[in-house]
Amino acid sequence: MEKTEFLEKLKALTANEDVLSVNREVNELKTQFEDFTIEEERKRQVAFLENSENEEKMFETHIADAVKDEFYEVFNAFKEKKNAVLKQQKT
């Protein structure tokens, strides 16, 4: 699965009006997304180290990951919506 696929799946889940019914799936998807991004970063670091050992010049770039940012924006909006529903249920 690619980052964009995680984002599209999250958008589909969070489009559901009943936020409590999809809460578990959203949280599981977030965990899978985080695992994926950690593994991606590990692979990038290994490649950097391997290239360093071969004395190749490789410059590490810090480009903002737009997909990752958008994923967390959608997730945080869902979380706020869920918290509002839970607060409303308490009253």
Side-chain angles (χ1 to χ4, degrees), residues 2-5 7 33 64-72:
E2 295 292 322
K3 281 185 181 180
T4 53
E5 293 175 76
L7 179 58
F33 180 77
D65 187 348
V67 175
K68 185 176 179 180
D69 292 342
E70 187 175 355
F71 183 92
Y72 284 109

Side-chain angles (χ1 to χ4, degrees), residues 32-91:
Q32 292 170 2
F33 180 77
E34 289 171 341
D35 291 345
F36 180 84
T37 56
I38 289 169
E39 179 63 15
E40 212 175 44
E41 177 64 17
R42 186 196 65 77
K43 287 177 183 177
R44 188 193 58 73
Q45 289 175 352
V46 167
F48 177 77
L49 291 173
E50 287 173 352
N51 287 332
S52 295
E53 290 173 1
N54 295 330
E55 297 182 17
E56 294 176 18
K57 292 187 178 181
M58 183 175 171
F59 297 98
E60 203 168 349
T61 56
H62 297 284
I63 299 172
D65 187 348
V67 175
K68 185 176 179 180
D69 292 342
E70 187 175 355
F71 183 92
Y72 284 109
E73 285 176 20
V74 173
F75 178 79
N76 289 332
F78 171 80
K79 198 165 120 179
E80 288 175 14
K81 188 176 177 180
K82 181 189 81 168
N83 288 339
V85 168
L86 291 173
K87 186 177 179 180
Q88 185 180 17
Q89 284 182 344
K90 283 184 180 180
T91 59

